[in-house]
């Protein structure tokens, strides 16, 4: 449509039609910069609107449902006393016709926070339960180079006994055990196993390093071990469902009291929530009152002692005069 009629010539028209129109970068740059600034301003306004928007009000949860059928997310999760919860687990088993000797488990949710940004490191521990619920015996390996100590270890039920010759077999996973104990004389030679055994490496803090071999074997062959998982959760079994209720609760309290020793008492309790369940039942939230150990702060004791001394001083002075 722009081409001239035959015989007509316009100066410069052929050159303009042959060469495409081009926009110089200098002229295009202001428009691109303006578009970018507009996008940034739009983003800022959106972010400001989100910040200024008040948070959605959450409806307060109700305490106790009125009807038998209800929406669980509208109500607070009920908590039970230990005796009541264990009784409910036993009732669930009878109604569901499940195995009566199934294991009872607890899930312990921990508060690992300490001062500022410090936290309690994930830990593992072993404890002797007042009421055994399994016939399983832990496999214990004893490190010693004394023939007399080795004979004592074998007599008291050690699964494996030996010296430095066991290091190679342990590193190659030819020998494995549930627990490893050692006498002090051989511990400098076991350093190559530190990274391999990690938490199971013999130490005095875990009572797995000492001279009393019979006592160590008696403890570790029958102890119950638990560990922190996923940063702040302990999942472990504590009993069998057919055991008496008081025995189940005694095992529960023993483990909880041992867990509480890993955080100083002047901080918030390390145990935040405690759920008990059987192998086939739902989890029941437990009321922590009466389960956590009662710790009286040292500062309160000192204040009471000082107050008592201040009250006694005037009496003593009057008697002396």
């Amino acid at each position: 449509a722009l081409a001239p009629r035959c015989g007509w010539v316009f100066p410069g028209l052929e050159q303009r039609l042959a060469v495409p129109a081009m926009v110089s970068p200098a002229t295009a740059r202001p428009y691109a910069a303006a578009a970018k600034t507009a996008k940034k301003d739009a983003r800022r306004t959106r972010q400001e609107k989100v910040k200024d928007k008040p948070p959605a009000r959450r409806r307060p949860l109700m305490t106790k449902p009125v009807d038998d059928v209800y929406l669980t997310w509208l109500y607070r999760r009920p908590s039970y006393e230990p005796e009541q919860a264990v009784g409910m687990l036993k009732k669930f088993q009878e109604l569901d016709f499940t195995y009566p000797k199934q294991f009872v488990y607890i899930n312990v949710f921990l508060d690992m926070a300490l001062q500022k940004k410090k936290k309690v490191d994930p830990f593992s521990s072993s404890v002797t339960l007042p009421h055994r619920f399994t016939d399983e015996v832990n496999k214990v390996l004893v490190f010693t180079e004394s023939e007399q100590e080795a004979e004592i270890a074998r007599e008291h039920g050690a699964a494996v006994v030996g010296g430095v010759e066991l290091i190679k077999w342990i590193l190659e996973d030819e020998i494995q055990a549930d627990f490893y104990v050692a006498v002090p004389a051989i511990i400098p030679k076991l350093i190559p196993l530190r990274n391999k055994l990690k938490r199971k490496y013999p130490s005095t803090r875990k009572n797995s390093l000492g001279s009393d071999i019979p006592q160590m074997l008696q403890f570790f062959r029958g102890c119950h071990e638990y560990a922190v998982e996923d940063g702040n959760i302990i999942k472990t079994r504590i009993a069998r469902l057919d055991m008496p209720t008081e025995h189940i609760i005694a095992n529960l309290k023993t483990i909880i009291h041992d867990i509480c020793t890993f955080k100083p008492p002047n901080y918030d309790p390390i145990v935040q929530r405690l759920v008990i369940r059987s192998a086939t039942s739902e989890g029941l939230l437990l009321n922590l009152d009466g389960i956590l150990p009662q710790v009286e702060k040292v500062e309160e004791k000192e204040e009471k002692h000082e107050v008592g001394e201040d009250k006694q001083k005037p009496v003593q002075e009057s008697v002396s005069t």
Side-chain angles (χ1 to χ4, degrees), residues 122-142:
F123 56 88
S124 63
S125 181
S126 302
V127 62
T128 301
L129 298 178
H131 305 284
R132 285 183 57 83
F133 58 91
T134 178
D135 296 330
E136 299 174 1
V137 178
N138 298 321
K139 185 179 179 181
V140 184
L141 184 148
V142 179

Side-chain angles (χ1 to χ4, degrees), residues 269-298:
I270 189 171
V271 178
Q272 291 296 300
R273 283 195 302 142
L274 178 59
V275 177
I276 188 171
R277 64 177 180 85
S278 66
T280 59
S281 74
E282 62 177 293
L284 302 176
L285 184 65
L286 293 181
N287 187 1
L288 295 177
D289 295 337
I291 298 179
L292 298 181
Q294 300 296 326
V295 180
E296 187 176 359
K297 293 184 179 180
V298 180

Side-chain angles (χ1 to χ4, degrees), residues 10-293:
F10 294 94
L13 180 60
E14 294 179 358
Q15 295 179 359
R16 288 197 297 270
L17 292 174
V19 181
M22 297 185 63
V23 181
S24 64
T27 57
R29 205 171 292 154
Y31 298 103
K36 287 182 181 179
T37 53
K39 288 181 181 179
K40 288 182 180 179
D41 294 339
R43 287 176 188 171
R44 288 174 186 169
T45 53
R46 285 196 211 112
Q47 292 176 356
E48 290 174 358
K49 286 181 180 178
V50 171
K51 289 181 180 179
D52 296 339
K53 187 178 180 180
R57 292 184 179 180
R58 191 172 182 179
R59 183 178 179 180
L61 298 178
M62 294 177 281
T63 55
K64 190 175 181 180
V66 180
D67 301 324
D68 295 336
V69 180
Y70 58 92
L71 298 174
T72 56
W73 57 270
L74 287 176
Y75 297 87
R76 297 176 187 172
R77 187 175 182 180
S79 61
Y80 305 94
E81 297 298 327
E83 295 81 2
Q84 183 184 6
V86 173
M88 292 174 66
L89 295 181
K90 291 178 178 290
K91 192 67 176 177
F92 294 158
Q93 181 273 321
E94 294 176 0
L95 295 174
D96 297 337
F97 297 98
T98 54
Y99 184 54
K101 294 185 178 182
Q102 58 187 287
F103 288 115
V104 178
Y105 299 85
I106 57 171
N107 293 353
V108 189
F109 299 87
L110 308 177
D111 178 13
M112 310 285 277
L114 290 175
Q115 189 177 8
K116 295 182 179 179
K117 294 184 179 180
K118 295 182 179 179
K119 292 184 178 181
V120 178
D121 294 329
F123 56 88
S124 63
S125 181
S126 302
V127 62
T128 301
L129 298 178
H131 305 284
R132 285 183 57 83
F133 58 91
T134 178
D135 296 330
E136 299 174 1
V137 178
N138 298 321
K139 185 179 179 181
V140 184
L141 184 148
V142 179
F143 289 107
T144 180
E145 292 181 324
S146 171
E147 289 295 334
Q148 183 179 0
E149 291 176 341
E151 187 64 28
I152 294 173
R154 294 188 188 96
E155 290 177 357
H156 287 81
V160 182
V161 183
V164 293
E165 70 275 4
L166 298 178
I167 295 177
K168 176 184 176 182
W169 303 107
I170 295 173
L171 291 175
E172 295 178 355
D173 294 328
E174 295 291 335
I175 296 178
Q176 294 181 352
D178 298 319
F179 296 97
Y180 300 83
V181 301
V183 294
I186 197 176
I187 197 66
K189 301 178 182 179
L190 302 181
I191 295 177
L193 293 176
R194 185 182 293 274
N195 292 332
K196 178 68 176 179
L197 299 182
K198 295 180 181 179
R199 294 178 181 175
K200 293 185 178 182
Y201 188 79
S203 65
T204 54
R205 184 175 59 85
K206 296 183 178 180
N207 299 321
S208 56
L209 176 62
S211 302
D212 196 343
I213 295 178
Q215 183 179 2
M216 291 190 295
L217 284 171
Q218 182 182 2
F219 174 76
F220 286 106
R221 290 181 78 241
C223 70
H224 177 74
E225 185 181 23
Y226 65 87
V228 177
E229 304 175 8
D230 301 327
N232 66 334
I233 302 175
I234 295 176
K235 301 176 182 179
T236 184
R237 57 187 186 180
I238 61 170
R240 288 190 181 272
L241 194 57
D242 63 332
M243 292 173 58
T245 301
E246 56 271 16
H247 290 184
I248 298 176
I249 296 174
N251 287 356
L252 168 67
K253 290 184 177 180
T254 300
I255 295 176
I256 295 300
H257 287 199
D258 188 69
I259 293 173
C260 291
T261 60
F262 285 88
K263 189 174 182 180
N266 54 337
Y267 292 95
D268 293 333
I270 189 171
V271 178
Q272 291 296 300
R273 283 195 302 142
L274 178 59
V275 177
I276 188 171
R277 64 177 180 85
S278 66
T280 59
S281 74
E282 62 177 293
L284 302 176
L285 184 65
L286 293 181
N287 187 1
L288 295 177
D289 295 337
I291 298 179
L292 298 181

